Amino acid sequence: MSKKIITNKQNTILILLLTFRFLNSKQIQQFLNHKDHRRINGWLKDLTEKEYIERDFKPIYGILTKPAIYFLSQKGRQYVRDSHFDVSSKYLGRLREDKKRSKAFRTKCQLVADLYLAHYPSKVSEFLEDLEGYLKDGIIFEDNKPQFFTPAFYEVLEELIPILKLKPDAYMYQKYEDGIVHSAFYVLDAYVPRLMLQYFLKNIFTTLNDEYWEEDTIHSLQIYVLCPNNMVIIYLRRLLKSFLEKYYGSKELIFHFATRNQIAKRIKTKSGKTGWINISSRDEID
């Protein structure tokens, strides 16, 4: 049987799907920074026909059609495993059940990608180069450069970054002259109950208290929480005050809150600010 060859761009698409698990065609076009959507659709169609990826698309008559969603197939996972040395077998194992994942989980994965696209649209080419480098040569931290990671890379990073015990949906490492900024990103479900919001904050502070993370090299810890609506933000801000009153860490802890609509608007307009609501542990202490 002849080998089914894929192009460099198609290889990049597979790496993106490994990284985020579920992406829609518009997001893939944005990451590839390509103006012609027909070319993107052509690459995706070819990958689907060659059975490297699977396509989730359910058109509804009379309703504006949403872009198709893509994820790695069994053959795609095997290709990534064989082509890239530094891929986590444990993580790939979790991807075996992706065909059965819920709509909420698929949406969360796409929102994680939106978090990057909303804030670093001009750095997508550099981001793709970084991903390929991580899979080929391993992860190397660089100075004065934001480095964005998803759980695809956590197995290696957990040995170096204790803060990943917080189990964020995404993580960013930034090293500057005055220290390292660790950023943890969370995407909350659309219908998250208040009890789960209480547990969410309690788990963060319990983990920070249990784990030694306040090294001299750390400047601050940033927690970004993407919420389904403003009502959730209002409730979390109210809860957060009591938790910060009991926080005695020496390093600054800053929470940032925004809604899904704010992120979507920033991606669409490609300008302006997201409008994150910021709450610092030092503000509470002062």
Side-chain angles (χ1 to χ4, degrees), residues 20-23 69 71 91 94-95 97-112 151 169 187 189-190 260:
F20 293 103
R21 298 180 70 163
F22 292 92
L23 290 173
I69 299 170
F71 57 99
Y91 175 77
R94 297 210 303 269
L95 270 58
E97 300 297 320
D98 275 0
K99 192 169 186 177
K100 302 177 183 177
R101 299 296 177 189
S102 66
K103 181 180 178 181
F105 182 85
R106 297 178 183 217
T107 299
K108 172 178 280 194
C109 292
Q110 293 170 77
L111 286 169
V112 170
D169 296 314
V187 177
D189 291 340
R260 297 181 181 189

Side-chain angles (χ1 to χ4, degrees), residues 113-121 262-264 266-267 270 272 274:
D114 279 346
L115 282 170
Y116 187 89
L117 291 169
H119 296 93
Y120 300 97
Q262 287 174 277
I263 294 295
R266 176 159 181 173
I267 292 176
K270 298 181 181 179
T274 302

Side-chain angles (χ1 to χ4, degrees), residues 153-154 156-159 161-168 170-171:
F153 303 94
Y154 284 5
V156 174
L157 288 173
E158 282 176 348
E159 301 177 5
I161 311 293
I163 290 171
L164 287 179
K165 288 184 171 61
L166 293 173
K167 300 187 183 303
Y171 164 77

Side-chain angles (χ1 to χ4, degrees), residues 7-247:
T7 67
N8 289 334
K9 289 293 186 183
Q10 289 176 319
N11 179 68
T12 300
I13 290 172
L14 296 182
I15 292 176
L16 281 169
L17 293 177
L18 171 75
T19 302
F20 293 103
R21 298 180 70 163
F22 292 92
L23 290 173
N24 63 56
S25 55
K26 286 189 176 181
Q27 290 176 315
I28 293 171
Q29 182 178 356
Q30 288 173 300
F31 274 115
L32 295 181
N33 197 24
H34 205 292
K35 295 181 179 180
D36 189 353
H37 70 275
R38 292 170 297 183
R39 181 65 63 86
I40 301 295
N41 289 336
W43 291 329
L44 291 170
K45 183 175 184 291
D46 185 55
L47 284 170
T48 303
E49 291 176 347
K50 290 177 178 176
E51 299 181 344
Y52 286 106
I53 63 176
E54 295 194 50
R55 181 174 184 257
D56 180 9
F57 181 68
K58 299 175 182 178
I60 302 175
Y61 180 76
I63 298 178
L64 184 63
T65 302
K66 293 183 178 181
I69 299 170
Y70 296 88
F71 57 99
L72 289 176
S73 65
Q74 188 278 329
K75 181 181 288 187
R77 295 193 301 273
Q78 187 63 49
Y79 174 85
V80 170
R81 186 196 302 271
D82 295 342
S83 304
H84 303 284
F85 173 75
D86 226 357
V87 179
S88 166
S89 296
K90 182 178 179 181
Y91 175 77
L92 279 175
R94 297 210 303 269
L95 270 58
R96 286 199 296 265
E97 300 297 320
D98 275 0
K99 192 169 186 177
K100 302 177 183 177
R101 299 296 177 189
S102 66
K103 181 180 178 181
F105 182 85
R106 297 178 183 217
T107 299
K108 172 178 280 194
C109 292
Q110 293 170 77
L111 286 169
V112 170
D114 279 346
L115 282 170
Y116 187 89
L117 291 169
H119 296 93
Y120 300 97
S122 63
K123 296 183 180 294
V124 290
S125 296
E126 187 176 356
F127 177 60
L128 296 180
E129 291 176 4
D130 287 343
L131 291 180
E132 293 187 17
Y134 299 154
L135 294 172
K136 180 181 179 182
D137 304 315
I139 296 171
I140 299 174
F141 292 125
E142 301 180 46
D143 295 349
N144 303 309
K145 174 183 177 180
Q147 293 176 266
F148 188 87
F149 302 95
T150 69
F153 303 94
Y154 284 5
E155 186 174 353
V156 174
L157 288 173
E158 282 176 348
E159 301 177 5
L160 307 171
I161 311 293
I163 290 171
L164 287 179
K165 288 184 171 61
L166 293 173
K167 300 187 183 303
D169 296 314
Y171 164 77
M172 183 174 286
Y173 176 97
Q174 296 169 280
K175 184 178 181 181
Y176 301 109
E177 289 185 3
D178 56 350
I180 299 170
V181 176
H182 294 286
S183 299
F185 297 85
Y186 295 91
V187 177
L188 300 184
D189 291 340
Y191 303 104
V192 58
R194 288 192 170 188
L195 184 62
M196 290 303 296
L197 294 176
Q198 295 173 24
Y199 177 78
F200 167 68
L201 288 181
K202 181 180 179 180
N203 181 62
I204 289 176
F205 283 91
T206 299
T207 303
L208 291 179
N209 289 333
D210 290 345
E211 297 295 331
Y212 181 77
W213 64 276
E214 295 189 341
E215 300 175 359
D216 293 338
T217 56
I218 295 177
H219 176 271
S220 65
L221 172 59
Q222 315 275 333
I223 307 287
Y224 290 84
V225 186
L226 189 61
C227 302
N229 53 59
N230 283 310
M231 292 301 295
V232 171
I233 293 179
I234 292 171
Y235 184 68
L236 283 173
R237 291 180 67 184
R238 189 186 311 154
L239 288 176
L240 185 58
K241 182 176 177 62
S242 63
F243 281 102
L244 287 176
E245 287 174 350
K246 302 173 185 176
Y247 173 74

